[in-house]
Every structure is written in C-alpha cells, then in structure tokens.
Amino acid sequence: MMSRRRTVRPAVAAFAATFALALATAGAAWAYHVDFVGAYCNYNEPQYTSYFTRDGSIAVALRARWEGYQWGGGCWNNNDVDDARGDPPQDPNTRGEGGDCSGFTFKVWRESLNVYDKGAWQWNMLRFVHGPYTAYDFKVGTGEPNVTYPKTGLIRMDALASSYHVGMIYARNADGTDQIIEAKGESYGTNIWVRTYRGSSDYGGARRLGWDA
Ligand SMILES: [Ca+2]
Ligand SMILES: [Ca+2]
Ligand SMILES: [Ca+2]
C-alpha cells in the first residue's frame, strides 16, 4: 500500500498543478479588469495651493495623456500605456486606470470635494478621486469655482461641456476647431484630439475661476 501511494501521489499532484495552471490561464484570458485602483492608487489628502496657473494644469493634464479611461474613476500613472484597457464600459467596479471626462476635469482644475470651496487643491495623479461633478454640472456652472462662459472667449484649459461629455481646451486651431484634452472612453483612453465641440450646440463653454496666470 505504501509504495503504491507513493507512486500515485506525484501523479495526482502533477495533474492538480496542470489543472490549476489551466484554470489560471483561462482566468487570465477571461479577466476583464486588473483592479488598477487596488494595486496602485491612494487616498492621500490633496495639497492646498495658493498659486496655480493654466500652464501648470496643462502639465498635470499631459501626464494623463495615453493613460486609460475609467467610468467614475480618477487615478492614473504616467507610463503612457492604458493599464486597464477593454473593461466593460460604464462600470465603476472594474477599478481600472484613468479618470472619466468629468473626473479628469475636476482633477486638472484642482477643485475641492466641497462644491462651495473655490480654492485650488493639488491631487496626485495616483490619488483616486472623481469629485462631485458630472459633465452636465460643468456645462451649467455648478460649484463655486465653475462658471459658464461664452464659447467665443474660451482659452486654453477652459472647457467645453455637454450633458454627456466634457473636455478641456489644449489649444485652439485657426479653423475654429480645438485640440481637446479629454478622457474620452474605454477604448480611447485619455489623449488630445481635434474636436468641433465649440461649434456644436450640444456644448457650452465652461471656465474654472481663480487662475493666477
Ligand atoms: Ca502619460
Ligand atoms: Ca498607464
Ligand atoms: Ca479602462
């Protein structure tokens, strides 16, 4: 009996190991999210800053370029790779990399979780935060730091907002279009694209108040 069990056990162990490996491989193939938030993000307090500029916020925004998009998200690194691509859209539980359009705007505009506070708060890119605003909120100027603004007068780091999307102006083109920096969608991630939002009736102008320069 003893010798027989000794010969069987390694075979069972080998089978179990193979089976486990097969399961793990199948799991990896089916897995649709990587829990980027759990692996990399933090909940550190933001830093109050008494001086903030449009150029400074452009630098903040550019770090998010080529990173991911996450519905309800707000945390990314700066390796220029979408580390959580292809999650089911509109599901915050996928906890992927990136902000969504309004979370990205909130963070780049250095806003407060308190809608009555127009002060500037610096959020680290790995700080998971979405903020209290939807795209529509930015469109109608909800929140103390935010106002609606005539589209013809918008400059860099102002935004164009509709009921379903918001993007910030990276640069204005001569032909009336804009280079918009935005968290666009699950399959697009966050980047700069040429957009015609300024000419679209869906979109209104939005401005964050209080820039020092
Ligand atoms: Ca980047
Ligand atoms: Ca990344
Ligand atoms: Ca994603």
Side-chain angles (χ1 to χ4, degrees):
M1 282 301 279
M2 291 300 289
S3 63
R4 192 175 167 188
R5 281 167 75 180
R6 278 193 191 105
T7 56
V8 167
R9 269 180 171 169
V12 169
F15 172 76
T18 306
F19 188 63
L21 181 64
L23 276 179
T25 306
W30 294 334
Y32 58 77
H33 65 83
V34 297
D35 192 10
F36 180 89
V37 173
Y40 300 109
C41 303
N42 65 62
Y43 295 89
N44 295 344
E45 288 300 308
Q47 285 182 291
Y48 179 78
T49 172
S50 58
Y51 181 85
F52 74 110
T53 67
R54 291 174 187 268
D55 284 345
S57 286
I58 283 176
V60 171
L62 285 175
R63 283 182 210 127
R65 194 178 191 191
W66 295 300
E67 313 307 330
Y69 171 94
Q70 171 64 53
W71 173 267
C75 157
W76 52 87
N77 61 17
N78 187 18
N79 63 354
D80 294 348
V81 170
D82 181 349
D83 290 286
R85 187 167 183 149
D87 284 340
Q90 304 192 359
D91 179 0
N93 297 316
T94 51
R95 294 163 61 81
E97 180 189 27
D100 65 15
C101 61
S102 53
F104 180 51
T105 303
F106 165 85
K107 212 167 172 180
V108 170
W109 278 5
R110 307 186 188 200
E111 302 212 339
S112 170
L113 294 173
N114 176 356
V115 300
Y116 299 104
D117 176 6
K118 63 183 175 190
W121 297 87
Q122 207 164 332
W123 304 92
N124 185 273
M125 62 185 172
L126 284 169
R127 197 329 179 145
F128 181 82
V129 64
H130 177 276
Y133 305 114
T134 62
Y136 178 77
D137 289 329
F138 286 117
K139 181 185 181 184
V140 298
T142 301
E144 195 68 19
N146 307 316
V147 295
T148 60
Y149 201 82
K151 284 200 275 188
T152 51
L154 298 176
I155 61 173
R156 70 197 201 290
M157 283 295 103
D158 286 335
L160 286 149
S162 69
S163 58
Y164 50 88
H165 186 57
V166 57
M168 289 164 286
I169 296 164
Y170 176 69
R172 187 173 188 171
N173 293 330
D175 65 0
T177 63
D178 294 280
Q179 296 171 50
I180 299 288
I181 189 160
E182 58 188 351
K184 182 57 183 171
E186 185 57 44
S187 55
Y188 305 93
T190 301
N191 211 327
I192 297 170
W193 289 274
V194 172
R195 301 295 188 195
T196 55
Y197 301 155
R198 200 188 289 252
S200 164
S201 60
D202 284 2
Y203 283 82
R207 171 167 286 183
R208 196 248 198 266
L209 298 171
W211 305 97
D212 289 291

